[in-house]
Amino acid sequence: MFVMRRSVSLFVLVSLFVLVTAASCGIAVAGDNKTDYLTEIKPILAARCFSCHGGLKQESGLRIDTAALMRKGGESGAAVVPGDSAKSPLLERISATDENVRMPPEGKPLTKKQIATISAWIKLGAIAPADEKPEEDASRHWSFRKPVRPVVPTVKNSEWVRNPIDAFIAARHESFELTPVPTATKSELLRRVYIDLIGLPPNRQELRAFLADGSPDAYEKVVDRLFDSPQYGERWGRHWMDVWRYSDWYGRRSVNDVRNSYPHIWRWRDWIIRSLNEDKGYDQMVREMLAADEIAPEDDETIAALGFIVRNWFSLNYDTWKQDLVEHTGKAFLGLRLNCAHCHDHKYDPILQKEYFQFRAFFEPLELRHDRVPGGVALTKYLRYTPSGSGALKPIKSGLPRVYDHYLKEATFMYRLGDPRDRFEGPPVTPATPAFLGGTKIPSQIEQIKLPPVASYPGLKPFAQRAEIEQRERAVKSAEAELGKLKQPSAQVAKLVAEAKLAAAKAELTAMEARVAADNSQFRGDPGDPKSLAQSASKAERQAKLKLAQLKHMQAQQAVTAAGGNAKALKKAQAALTVANKSAEAAKSALAKVSADYTPLGPKYPTVSTGRRKALAEWIGNQQNPLTARVAVNHIWMRHFGRPIVESVFDFGRSGTRPSHPELIDWLAVEMMQPSVAPLPGHAWSMKHIHRLIVTSSAYRMSSSTPVDSPNLKRDKDNRWWWRFDRQRMQAEVVRDSILHVAGALDATIGGEELDPKLEATTQRRSLYFAVYPEGGGTMKFLETFDPADPIDCYRRKGSIVPQQALALSNSQLAIHHGRLLARALSTEIQQAGGDAMAQQASFITAAFEQILTRSPTEIEIEFCVAFLKKQQELYGQANQKTGAPAKGVVAAATDPQLRTRESLVRVLLNHNDFVTIH
Amino acid sequence: MTIHQRDAGPCCGCVPRRTFLADMGMGFTGLALGSLLLDDGISRAAAAPTGKPLFAPKAKSVIWVFLSGGYSQLETFDPKPALTKYAGKTFKETPFDDPLKSPLHDARSRSVIEKVRDKYAKIYPTQVGFKKYGESGIEVSDWFPHVGSCVDDISFVRNMYTTDNDHAAENQIHTGRHKLDETQPSIGAWVTYGLASGNGNIPQFVVLGGPTRPDTSQSFESYYLGPKYGGIPIALDPNNPLPYGRRSGDILLEEQRNEFDLVNKLNRLAAVEYPNDDALSARIRSYELAFNMQKAVPEAVDLAGETKEVQQLYGLDNSNTRLAGRRMLAARRMVERGVRFVQVYPSPYGVWDSHKNLKKLHAAQSAKVDKPVAGLLKDLKRRGLMDDVLVVFCTEFGRTPAVEERSGGTDGRDHHPHGFTVWFAGAGVKGGHVHGATDELGFHAIEPGHYITDMHATVLHLMGLDGRKLEIPGRKRLDVDHGTPIRDILT
């Protein structure tokens, strides 16, 4: 392993060089040398050397992140001797031809030019600025230290401050001499907060009610109402589905072959929506997604949370499953690129390759299964992919996909360069969290968990037992009916067969009741002696077998009689009779045995779980973990403001970006874990609490427009310090949902099985309920041009502007059809209100603006629209204008020319920049 | 989706470059939108790639021809007399080193399924004759006489290898990564990302004849580069070639023109009020482009206007070659209109996959594509387009020199990632040239062999780009992802 190689080469180093210890030299005057250290030397060393000889690691005690440290050297003395490149071990090592000696040990050697530049710099005295600062120690990195609630700054603009968020924002305003822009207009603010919290714009009535409400807390009342709407869970559910990479099953969906994720994973989506609407703590959500089977083993509603793990499942190769789990657990919950340490120690963060595998070990025992759900069919064990088999793994039509610890003793081995075939020698690793994040200091004790019987034996669930009994009761009823239907007098044989069938069905029912009774006494503590009940069940089952064998025997005899002169049929029937005879005999003799064995009601799984994932989940969802809350509030902030506080949303490590507002992110993180500002949420880790603080802050209420002559533009053109609200483009799902919503057509049904994307134009459900997967056919066509979530990973969306969006908004069935319906509805409404033609025209324009853009039109806009309506009407009046049939699924254009012009105007407003933009 | 803007906006999951700039106190949020602006010359400064080649490009467009299923190198472009000589013998019975024992064997194949593929060792003779063509005298199999007649314009690369021994190799040759590794954008997406638009009225990355199956769409996806750099499948139906590219029948052209005019009039009102809103400017421009696109794309796929002679050159007059011919001809029309990257699938999914009955299958499939592909080369040449257009012809892997004996097979070849042939023609590429070789048995790519990303590097190089300079911060790419241009084939 290369760690070994590294230490060998170090030994070589020591023996190779006679090291100069007295590296005393004064700092020469900079400026006259040809090589500039900061721009030419340091970047090379930073890129290739600092990961082992800097703030992260100090191999051989050597750091070279400042010129002074190079002179000071490490265990083997100075690395650089100013003025003497020949005596500088650093140069010797980077230019060595022997691969065992050459530095850096990985990747291509430094180029000749780079070596020459470094050599020249050393010869000229290895000059560097006197105030050069070494790299910060990795453990001191801002996000690796536990957040401490910062003092809320006192600012001059105190009347602007509604809550501590504003104080942190205002403090920056003041240090950069920025003036926050005024509050947005009431209608802008209403539209902003509606789309933000429920993903839909307000309708006209809601707009008018809000404009008419002059009370000081009018806005807060709207916010409260939106938080109580179940549509909040749908809106923010889709956001978190991005982060947690929700995907419906795929692989080769075109040939009905499941390879990735799993059918019915939508139950996880519904769990997300439900949990958000209940305002379940973020910590608890994380715990349930990683370990619901260990912390709530009897609760199927909660077990659906394991979808996070199921989504990463890959039937062909479990290594890939676990790699993806490590990578995305790291990125989503911890903001760490753990995956970088898959092939080598992390180059930026203090994560050893060994720690990568220790992290993976939490997931090592995993296996997939699906459990029966009420109303669903009985399930056998899920089918493991067999390369030698048919190849295809058909999607299962019912059930709850979930994981459990199956390979309880499975060892985790380290391997080289991402290739599992190339294992390191030595013992396997055991599960552990990275040491630099507190490791064992954060409670993460792994204790094996004894599972309740229903968890390891789902057939015990009362609904499953009832379903099994009811199924047999129905069989008895149907056999009785069959017997009753026989015509009197009927053939003796037919009657005997029908009677045997009834007897067999009754025996089946009795056996099932006995099996359930035996199960219940053994596993649920029901009264009765488990052993004798088991024996009865065993006997009843054998009795049922006998009755069934007798039925078969009788049927075989019937077939023999029926065969008559047909020799071929007779031969077949006689063979069947012989078999039936034998089975009946066997069943009869089996009856005499004394046994307590009976068939369980479905598969049984291990009765214990390793407790590994529970420990991991508790370590992540812990107030002591410095990363969890910070990463979460950053995601939340980004989705309100369009931009995060830490740009690199899935990398809070040393190669990520620093927060623009370090105190603010820490304050938000601590506030989420330990709420202190009213209204208090009643529990820690409340996300609604953070949302509420954000949307009621002054920072959030600012206008998005900028006066042209604003001095802010000179000081902070990009609005880095949030002196205005950033305009955002609606997300793909919001565009589609909003068209349906403004047209009054949105189907508000919540949850359920995923819908076929092909039905996007005809099914008026919200977009998050349609199947999404990273394969052709896995995106709704309408969404495709608006940057929908990429189910491979989507920690952050794009907001591009492309011509195809214009085509979708003007030519899609969705926009044309619903646009027409909206135009007609508004027209009818206006007509009913009365007034002359001119006034009606103006009212229509106003109503359309209010409904589609949540604002009234300006005078000049009305003027433009009036002229447009006239022009279109003239166009329709021209005799030579022949139109064809409407596109498929689109209601035909109105025949009344005036109504048709209004349909046209509605289309225009759906294409208005203000429709797809959040101001 | 693509329409050539440089959008510096934060892409899904990546750390945008502007972040880094912002860290140096030079925030660039204002530039977040786009290349529409860039095309307008409104702002050119900041986004990740500039949209211009980094150095003088040899090629302006690429036509990437992909044959799905894995054509046999041994029956197309890599003649191996030893196979016929030692037919029926095992590798060990020949004077050559046993290729199954070579360390290259395991290094260059990884099974997605946790099971090693069967190894076959009994040599299967070449199933078709070879002839020398052109001044260069390069040998091509008798199943490709038309391509044979073009050899003096072609550089063959006979030492390609990949690492997936199953059909996910189809996505791998386009993305550079094995299925078990992290997903990456496709080569077409990188080209589109790297270069500004050649024509604003038509998508810059077009897919013809694909995806051949939903799971092969990864071969033209853009992943973290953002949807606008992904390939757009275009149907060769002038009535409805692209999604939402057609007005509803009951909306008049003039009616929609008026609508678009009002949209922009209203948007411009806002633009007067908010002169700093770049998104708004981009939106206004996008409506002008959208209107033009509705006309330009159907026109581009309308083959009816081509002369009879041209149609015949591509084989449109013959039912056997018509399908591939139409796609190749449409490809030429696309590059003429400034499309940067045309990914063409002349054959349906997997049809070259000849585990059994290779002779019949390969003969039938080559008869469908040989003339259309050669037609494209000839047509490009006489129009002077060979100086601007690079043509790449490839498949996901080769086929085994040994006979596939699975379930009693006697007349087919199995998947073979270890050695296969692809070819390049056109802008910046030598003609009548053979680069590299497989060993005597046609098994391992040697000297030392090119991993598939060397094809990507070659394409990018000819387009004036360098994959290493297109890196997205926060998205780790490895050396192997970038590859090295195959310089020997360059003029």
Side-chain angles (χ1 to χ4, degrees):
Chain A
M1 59 210 273
F2 77 76
V3 178
M4 277 305 291
R5 211 199 92 191
R6 196 73 74 84
S7 47
V8 168
S9 61
L10 183 74
F11 176 75
V12 174
L13 169 73
V14 174
S15 52
L16 268 177
F17 302 111
V18 179
L19 296 158
V20 181
T21 44
S24 61
C25 79
I27 302 294
V29 184
D32 56 346
N33 58 324
K34 285 180 188 157
T35 339
D36 183 47
Y37 169 71
L38 288 181
T39 59
E40 292 179 58
I41 306 294
K42 199 161 182 175
I44 302 174
L45 301 178
R48 300 302 306 276
C49 314
F50 283 12
S51 58
C52 296
H53 300 289
L56 176 62
K57 281 201 265 184
Q58 300 81 41
E59 295 279 350
S60 319
L62 175 65
R63 293 180 69 141
I64 58 170
D65 46 328
T66 67
L69 287 165
M70 291 183 227
R71 291 195 301 273
K72 179 173 168 243
E75 289 158 14
S76 2
V80 161
V81 182
D84 194 344
S85 58
K87 283 194 180 145
S88 295
L90 183 135
L91 199 74
E92 194 78 42
R93 295 298 295 273
I94 60 176
S95 47
T97 46
D98 181 349
E99 271 191 46
N100 291 315
V101 178
R102 189 177 62 222
M103 286 284 160
E106 284 170 14
K108 289 187 177 162
L110 300 187
T111 65
K112 280 190 184 138
K113 198 177 153 210
Q114 287 172 327
I115 295 169
T117 313
I118 295 169
S119 171
W121 171 72
I122 296 175
K123 274 186 196 147
L124 283 167
I127 297 157
D131 57 352
E132 191 189 8
K133 292 237 163 31
E135 277 197 315
E136 181 189 62
D137 278 354
S139 61
R140 302 285 306 155
H141 181 65
W142 74 275
S143 68
F144 299 163
R145 284 178 287 165
K146 205 184 136 192
V148 177
R149 190 187 291 272
V151 175
V152 178
T154 317
V155 292
K156 282 185 229 138
N157 191 8
S158 58
E159 68 275 21
W160 191 75
V161 175
R162 290 175 196 264
N163 68 39
I165 291 172
D166 294 330
F168 290 106
I169 296 288
R172 284 286 191 280
H173 291 164
E174 288 172 10
S175 28
F176 293 96
E177 294 178 36
L178 300 163
T179 318
V181 298
T183 307
T185 63
K186 267 188 110 175
S187 52
E188 278 172 347
L189 191 56
L190 185 72
R191 190 167 199 269
R192 181 188 298 171
V193 77
Y194 258 75
I195 294 175
D196 191 6
L197 296 186
I198 64 168
L200 300 167
N203 61 29
R204 288 172 70 214
Q205 288 71 30
E206 289 162 330
L207 171 66
R208 294 197 161 185
F210 181 61
L211 292 178
D213 186 349
S215 58
D217 62 343
Y219 176 71
E220 283 76 7
K221 282 189 288 190
V222 168
V223 169
D224 284 345
R225 207 177 62 236
L226 295 175
F227 276 130
D228 289 341
S229 160
Q231 290 170 325
Y232 156 77
E234 294 177 316
R235 166 61 160 164
W236 281 82
R238 186 53 257 182
H239 284 317
W240 289 110
M241 283 158 75
D242 282 15
V243 180
W244 301 329
R245 6 191 268 142
Y246 179 88
S247 172
D248 289 290
W249 67 273
Y250 62 105
R252 291 190 303 164
R253 210 159 158 139
S254 54
V255 294
N256 223 18
D257 186 5
V258 184
R259 290 184 173 179
N260 299 78
S261 184
Y262 214 71
H264 296 276
I265 196 161
W266 58 267
R267 293 177 195 279
W268 172 40
R269 178 241 290 144
D270 285 0
W271 170 89
I272 296 174
I273 296 172
R274 209 165 51 233
S275 303
L276 293 174
N277 279 333
E278 288 167 5
D279 197 24
K280 189 179 279 176
Y282 177 80
D283 59 335
Q284 184 62 15
M285 287 185 75
V286 174
R287 284 195 288 265
E288 291 180 3
M289 282 191 282
L290 291 170
D293 59 324
E294 296 189 323
I295 60 181
E298 296 186 66
D299 178 4
D300 283 350
E301 296 272 289
T302 304
I303 280 176
L306 294 170
F308 176 78
I309 296 177
V310 175
R311 183 263 170 268
N312 291 283
W313 184 73
F314 177 45
S315 69
L316 303 186
N317 194 313
Y318 277 18
D319 253 310
T320 306
W321 183 16
K322 287 156 203 171
Q323 279 170 35
D324 286 351
L325 278 172
V326 174
E327 173 175 350
H328 295 290
T329 302
K331 285 181 176 172
F333 303 134
L334 297 165
L336 278 182
R337 294 200 284 159
L338 292 174
N339 53 310
C340 295
H342 184 204
C343 305
H344 48 65
D345 292 349
H346 204 290
K347 296 290 184 195
Y348 297 97
D349 299 328
I351 306 166
L352 300 172
Q353 191 186 13
K354 184 178 175 190
E355 289 177 311
Y356 171 92
F357 284 93
Q358 288 176 324
F359 202 89
R360 169 189 157 126
F362 287 108
F363 301 112
E364 207 66 62
L366 282 178
E367 183 54 284
L368 183 76
R369 80 187 212 211
H370 56 271
D371 285 357
R372 184 175 190 169
V373 292
V377 296
L379 299 164
T380 51
K381 203 178 152 192
Y382 98 101
L383 307 154
R384 179 83 202 267
Y385 185 91
T386 46
S388 54
S390 66
L393 204 60
K394 300 233 177 312
I396 286 162
K397 300 266 192 278
S398 160
L400 166 67
R402 54 163 290 184
V403 292
Y404 68 106
D405 278 3
H406 178 84
Y407 308 102
L408 300 173
K409 303 263 183 252
E410 189 85 345
T412 302
F413 290 96
M414 291 177 64
Y415 50 76
R416 287 179 191 84
L417 297 176
D419 188 344
R421 295 176 300 181
D422 195 5
R423 271 187 193 171
F424 284 113
E425 310 74 25
V429 300
T430 49
T433 51
F436 82 102
L437 286 175
T440 50
K441 269 186 279 165
I442 300 178
S444 66
Q445 213 66 34
I446 298 173
E447 276 167 25
Q448 196 180 64
I449 294 162
K450 192 166 170 1
L451 295 171
V454 284
S456 58
Y457 178 18
L460 281 180
K461 287 172 191 165
F463 80 83
Q465 294 178 335
R466 257 197 321 275
E468 292 293 325
I469 289 173
E470 281 164 9
Q471 185 194 332
R472 283 156 183 84
E473 284 170 348
R474 281 194 300 275
V476 170
K477 281 220 173 84
S478 121
E480 277 170 352
E482 214 175 296
L483 183 62
K485 263 194 286 185
L486 284 178
K487 282 191 191 117
Q488 295 297 340
S490 70
Q492 185 63 18
V493 186
K495 191 166 177 241
L496 285 176
V497 169
E499 279 168 356
K501 203 172 196 176
L502 179 59
K506 280 181 172 165
E508 248 308 296
L509 174 60
T510 310
M512 181 50 75
E513 283 165 346
R515 283 156 68 192
V516 168
D519 272 354
N520 286 350
S521 78
Q522 187 186 342
F523 298 109
R524 304 166 71 112
D526 276 13
D529 170 39
K531 197 178 165 203
S532 63
L533 283 170
Q535 284 174 346
S536 312
S538 176
K539 182 142 192 181
E541 217 179 358
R542 280 174 279 140
Q543 185 74 42
K545 252 188 204 153
L546 174 62
K547 293 288 174 202
L548 185 65
Q550 285 170 338
L551 168 65
K552 290 245 166 87
H553 186 253
M554 209 157 283
Q555 283 168 331
Q557 263 179 340
Q558 192 184 21
V560 170
T561 318
N566 185 335
K568 204 174 157 195
L570 186 63
K571 196 175 169 197
K572 203 177 149 200
Q574 276 169 336
L577 183 59
T578 314
V579 174
N581 236 332
K582 270 192 193 148
S583 325
E585 286 302 319
K588 206 170 198 172
S589 61
L591 211 52
K593 265 197 312 187
V594 178
S595 164
D597 294 340
Y598 62 94
T599 317
L601 278 69
K604 287 181 172 176
Y605 301 98
T607 55
V608 294
S609 194
T610 60
R612 291 185 187 189
R613 283 175 290 113
K614 177 168 181 262
L616 175 65
E618 278 169 0
W619 176 78
I620 294 176
N622 194 296
Q623 297 212 5
Q624 302 301 311
N625 191 309
L627 286 162
T628 311
R630 282 179 170 128
V631 171
V633 295
N634 193 50
H635 273 300
I636 291 172
W637 181 275
M638 174 172 79
R639 285 164 177 83
H640 286 292
F641 283 97
R643 218 158 18 97
I645 299 171
V646 175
E647 282 281 345
S648 51
V649 296
F650 62 77
D651 187 0
F652 275 46
R654 292 167 75 243
S655 66
T657 38
R658 298 245 162 190
S660 59
H661 295 69
E663 303 85 9
L664 175 59
I665 194 171
D666 281 3
W667 187 86
L668 286 167
V670 177
E671 179 65 20
M672 179 153 90
M673 296 188 285
Q674 296 151 20
S676 69
V677 179
L680 289 173
H683 64 283
W685 296 88
S686 159
M687 285 194 269
K688 280 190 183 173
H689 179 59
I690 299 299
H691 290 308
R692 189 186 303 274
L693 286 173
I694 287 174
V695 300
T696 56
S697 69
S698 292
Y700 182 82
R701 298 189 212 200
M702 286 186 288
S703 166
S704 66
S705 41
T706 321
V708 188
D709 53 356
S710 165
N712 290 351
L713 284 172
K714 288 207 184 70
R715 294 173 187 139
D716 178 21
K717 181 173 180 295
D718 300 326
N719 192 31
R720 180 176 157 91
W721 307 113
W722 277 300
W723 47 267
R724 66 158 187 244
F725 190 79
D726 267 348
R727 286 200 187 119
Q728 299 163 42
R729 210 213 61 217
M730 271 181 179
Q731 285 192 334
E733 294 83 357
V734 178
V735 178
R736 179 180 167 278
D737 294 358
S738 296
I739 291 174
L740 289 169
H741 181 65
V742 299
L746 189 72
D747 176 348
T749 310
I750 295 174
E753 194 161 347
E754 84 272 16
L755 304 163
D756 185 343
K758 286 199 199 89
L759 305 176
E760 61 178 286
T762 49
T763 305
Q764 290 146 13
R765 299 279 308 281
R766 288 193 82 165
S767 304
L768 86 159
Y769 296 121
F770 288 81
V772 53
Y773 48 88
E775 220 167 61
T779 317
M780 295 161 78
K781 224 177 188 165
F782 185 83
L783 268 53
E784 221 158 49
T785 58
F786 291 95
D787 314 282
D790 183 337
I792 290 179
D793 78 32
C794 191
Y795 291 97
R796 189 170 178 179
R797 294 264 187 120
K798 294 191 82 157
S800 70
I801 296 168
V802 295
Q804 284 92 337
Q805 294 168 357
L807 294 179
L809 286 167
S810 0
N811 292 339
S812 64
Q813 183 182 342
L814 179 81
I816 301 175
H817 181 75
H818 292 289
R820 282 178 179 163
L821 296 186
L822 172 59
R824 288 170 201 190
L826 290 177
S827 252
T828 311
E829 210 181 305
I830 301 297
Q831 242 156 20
Q832 281 162 356
D836 64 22
M838 281 276 280
Q840 285 206 5
Q841 199 73 317
S843 306
F844 179 83
I845 295 168
T846 304
F849 266 76
E850 286 174 352
Q851 182 71 5
I852 299 168
L853 307 178
T854 326
R855 66 176 174 87
S856 24
T858 61
E859 268 177 44
I860 186 159
E861 281 172 331
I862 294 183
E863 199 180 295
F864 281 178
C865 293
V866 169
F868 168 82
L869 291 169
K870 190 159 165 271
K871 196 171 171 189
Q872 293 295 67
Q873 192 153 351
E874 280 164 13
L875 179 68
Y876 303 147
Q878 287 165 20
N880 59 346
Q881 299 286 15
K882 268 206 338 216
T883 53
K888 206 176 143 225
V890 169
V891 61
T895 45
D896 168 40
Q898 191 196 38
L899 189 52
R900 192 169 156 202
T901 59
R902 289 177 175 177
E903 292 173 1
S904 181
L905 180 65
V906 162
R907 252 189 325 270
V908 168
L909 296 184
L910 290 174
N911 278 278
H912 195 296
N913 187 55
D914 287 354
F915 180 65
V916 292
T917 306
I918 300 157
H919 284 277
Chain B
M1 291 277 160
T2 145
I3 193 74
H4 16 285
Q5 303 112 334
R6 306 277 71 71
D7 175 333
C11 59
C12 179
C14 72
V15 184
R17 171 159 300 189
R18 67 188 176 87
T19 304
F20 281 45
L21 296 168
D23 275 355
M24 297 190 286
M26 306 160 57
F28 279 97
T29 314
L31 295 164
L33 302 153
S35 41
L36 284 172
L37 304 178
L38 216 154
D39 291 345
D40 282 353
I42 293 174
S43 75
R44 204 162 256 284
T50 61
K52 281 182 174 170
L54 296 166
F55 44 88
K58 287 281 169 57
K60 294 193 179 112
S61 298
V62 181
I63 297 176
W64 177 282
V65 185
F66 179 79
L67 275 60
S68 168
Y71 60 72
S72 165
Q73 72 282 20
L74 307 165
E75 272 86 14
T76 52
F77 310 113
D78 191 10
K80 289 292 166 188
L83 297 187
T84 307
K85 186 171 174 190
Y86 297 105
K89 293 204 165 21
T90 62
F91 294 138
K92 278 187 205 145
E93 292 163 342
T94 70
F96 312 117
D97 290 340
D98 184 349
L100 296 172
K101 296 267 160 27
S102 162
L104 291 178
H105 190 277
D106 281 357
R108 291 181 181 176
S109 79
R110 256 171 94 194
S111 210
V112 174
I113 304 168
E114 294 161 306
K115 168 191 176 262
V116 181
R117 234 184 148 79
D118 292 333
K119 293 179 185 176
Y120 303 109
K122 197 168 96 183
I123 293 171
Y124 190 53
T126 311
Q127 298 298 302
V128 63
F130 274 77
K131 261 198 235 16
K132 290 187 174 177
Y133 287 91
E135 284 178 26
S136 54
I138 295 171
E139 285 183 87
V140 170
S141 93
D142 294 346
W143 286 333
F144 281 93
H146 292 96
V147 170
S149 69
C150 300
V151 289
D152 288 344
D153 292 311
I154 295 177
S155 269
F156 293 90
V157 180
R158 286 180 177 163
N159 57 342
M160 294 305 306
Y161 71 86
T162 184
T163 59
D164 195 326
N165 59 16
D166 213 332
H167 293 289
E170 174 165 340
N171 289 334
Q172 186 178 8
I173 197 172
H174 294 100
T175 66
R177 287 273 180 110
H178 192 281
K179 184 174 173 73
L180 294 178
D181 298 327
E182 215 183 314
T183 316
Q184 293 287 320
S186 65
I187 174 62
W190 283 112
V191 168
T192 320
Y193 176 68
L195 294 173
S197 161
N199 170 358
N201 298 332
I202 199 160
Q204 285 301 283
F205 179 6
V206 156
V207 180
L208 300 172
T212 49
R213 216 169 70 165
D215 50 324
T216 62
S217 60
Q218 203 188 74
S219 295
F220 49 84
E221 263 162 24
S222 50
Y223 188 34
Y224 56 69
L225 298 177
K228 74 163 138 272
Y229 302 111
I232 299 193
I234 287 199
L236 297 186
D237 170 9
N239 288 322
N240 204 10
L242 101 156
Y244 307 121
R246 192 186 180 193
R247 282 191 324 279
S248 175
D250 56 356
I251 296 177
L252 303 163
L253 178 68
E254 187 64 20
E255 182 182 1
Q256 190 174 61
R257 177 76 260 181
N258 291 343
E259 288 173 12
F260 277 39
D261 284 349
L262 180 61
V263 168
N264 274 358
K265 256 172 111 175
L266 294 173
N267 282 340
R268 283 203 184 91
L269 282 180
V272 172
E273 213 173 318
Y274 317 125
N276 299 310
D277 191 340
D278 290 344
L280 184 55
S281 317
R283 171 100 25 223
I284 290 168
R285 177 101 173 90
S286 78
Y287 275 82
E288 286 157 12
L289 289 177
F291 195 76
N292 296 340
M293 201 185 260
Q294 288 183 108
K295 190 159 167 272
V297 177
E299 192 273 330
V301 299
D302 188 359
L303 309 180
E306 296 283 340
T307 66
K308 206 167 176 196
E309 187 272 338
V310 169
Q311 298 200 5
Q312 280 171 356
L313 179 66
Y314 286 84
L316 266 60
D317 54 335
N318 180 323
S319 64
N320 201 32
T321 46
R322 189 175 299 135
L323 184 74
R326 283 171 55 81
R327 291 171 184 169
M328 303 316 294
L329 177 53
R332 190 214 78 210
R333 292 177 64 88
M334 292 291 164
V335 297
E336 279 178 330
R337 282 158 183 77
V339 175
R340 288 290 184 199
F341 200 95
V342 187
Q343 193 155 319
V344 202
Y345 296 84
S347 314
Y349 179 81
V351 292
W352 291 86
D353 194 21
S354 307
H355 293 277
K356 285 182 179 170
N357 216 354
L358 180 137
K359 188 170 183 172
K360 198 175 147 205
L361 290 176
H362 266 51
Q365 292 307 327
S366 14
K368 290 175 200 258
V369 302
D370 177 38
K371 189 174 180 197
V373 170
L376 172 73
L377 294 182
K378 289 170 183 165
D379 201 19
L380 290 176
K381 193 170 182 184
R382 66 188 187 174
R383 286 170 194 258
L385 287 170
M386 282 293 234
D387 298 333
D388 294 331
V389 179
L390 171 68
V391 180
V392 183
F393 183 95
C394 60
T395 188
E396 70 258 45
F397 43 48
R399 306 211 73 88
T400 51
V403 67
E404 175 167 343
E405 293 170 290
R406 185 160 46 165
S407 28
T410 56
D411 55 2
R413 301 187 189 274
D414 199 2
H415 306 162
H416 190 69
H418 307 279
F420 63 104
T421 302
V422 303
W423 55 256
F424 295 75
V429 174
K430 287 178 190 163
H433 184 67
V434 173
H435 169 84
T438 45
D439 57 30
E440 288 87 343
L441 296 164
F443 199 108
H444 288 296
I446 52 175
E447 311 177 339
H450 294 283
Y451 179 61
I452 46 173
T453 49
D454 288 354
M455 294 173 67
H456 301 181
T458 308
V459 168
L460 290 171
H461 178 79
L462 287 169
M463 297 294 279
L465 295 170
D466 175 351
R468 288 176 172 80
K469 304 244 160 76
L470 295 177
E471 291 247 353
I472 304 282
R475 293 290 180 178
K476 175 76 177 164
R477 300 196 86 211
L478 307 170
D479 251 14
V480 69
D481 294 327
H482 293 298
T484 314
I486 307 171
R487 293 193 184 271
D488 177 45
I489 67 166
L490 306 180
T491 53

